[in-house]
Amino acid sequence: MSATTETAPETASTTFFERAMVLATATMTTMLVGMMLLVTSVIMPQLQGSLSATQDQVAWVITFNIIAIAVMTPMTGWFANRFGRRNVMVWSTFGFVVTTILCGTANSLEVLVIYRMIQGVFGAPLNPLSNAIVLDTFPREQHGTVNSIYGVGVVVGPMIGPIVGGHLAEAYNWRWAFVAVGIVGLLAV
């Protein structure tokens, strides 16, 4: 058999609709992680005033989230091999959405930093797993197309996160920047 006609066992048994739903879910998950990574940067003044923190202290909310992501991302492969991609993806998504909503309920800077660290732990596996699942779901000849569609989530999430978060923080409260995105994530995924 030639390389262009071979199909992975997973792609042979799935319909186009099922593959499209996997792509949509993976793209949405990636977009949500990107949104939450940068949404905090625009609501820092509200966080600073609401939590009575200095500018340096409020920066911890972003810093500890990034550190948690950096520590956990390399462990994604081990978790996927140990517990299965699907299980890691489902539990990571669930944990990410729950901690995103919890971030909106934080009453102190310390609690918010802890929730953001946990959010980073759960969010770290989502991007690499989403990409791996998309590539395994589609035949090799469609990888370029699906990677470009998946890439939209990678780019659009960090782009619209600060816009949506800033709008919600100005219109309502900084808490809604977390809660609204968490609820959208829960409904979408």
Side-chain angles (χ1 to χ4, degrees):
M1 230 179 198
S2 70
T4 57
T5 59
E6 288 181 7
T7 16
E10 300 87 17
T11 62
S13 63
T14 58
T15 66
F16 175 76
F17 178 76
E18 291 170 334
R19 290 191 303 254
M21 291 308 296
V22 167
L23 178 60
T25 303
T27 303
M28 178 62 79
T29 304
T30 301
M31 194 167 84
L32 289 171
V33 172
M35 286 176 68
M36 288 316 306
L37 185 63
L38 293 179
V39 75
T40 312
S41 62
V42 296
I43 61 172
M44 284 181 74
Q46 288 93 345
L47 287 173
Q48 187 176 352
S50 177
L51 301 175
S52 300
T54 66
Q55 198 170 19
D56 289 340
Q57 290 171 332
V58 169
W60 296 347
V61 174
I62 296 174
T63 304
F64 280 95
N65 182 266
I66 292 171
I67 289 170
I69 290 171
V71 169
M72 292 304 292
T73 298
M75 298 173 69
T76 301
W78 182 83
F79 282 121
N81 287 337
R82 176 95 172 146
F83 302 109
R85 278 187 189 168
R86 185 173 191 272
N87 290 333
V88 174
M89 185 73 172
V90 167
W91 285 106
S92 292
T93 304
F94 178 75
F96 180 79
V97 169
V98 167
T99 54
T100 299
I101 294 171
L102 287 174
C103 285
T105 65
N107 291 323
S108 70
L109 180 66
E110 294 81 11
V111 172
L112 182 58
V113 168
I114 290 169
Y115 286 156
R116 286 282 288 175
M117 280 190 338
I118 297 169
Q119 183 189 47
V121 167
F122 282 114
L126 295 177
N127 287 347
L129 277 181
S130 293
N131 197 10
I133 289 170
V134 165
L135 292 177
D136 283 351
T137 302
F138 285 85
R140 188 169 186 82
E141 59 271 5
Q142 294 178 345
H143 282 185
T145 304
V146 296
N147 260 339
S148 64
I149 295 169
Y150 172 78
V152 169
V154 173
V155 173
V156 171
M159 186 175 72
I160 66 170
I163 296 168
V164 172
H167 176 70
L168 290 171
E170 288 296 319
Y172 303 105
N173 189 330
W174 65 267
R175 297 177 189 284
W176 282 100
F178 291 108
V179 174
V181 172
I183 291 170
V184 167
L186 192 60
L187 294 174
V189 179

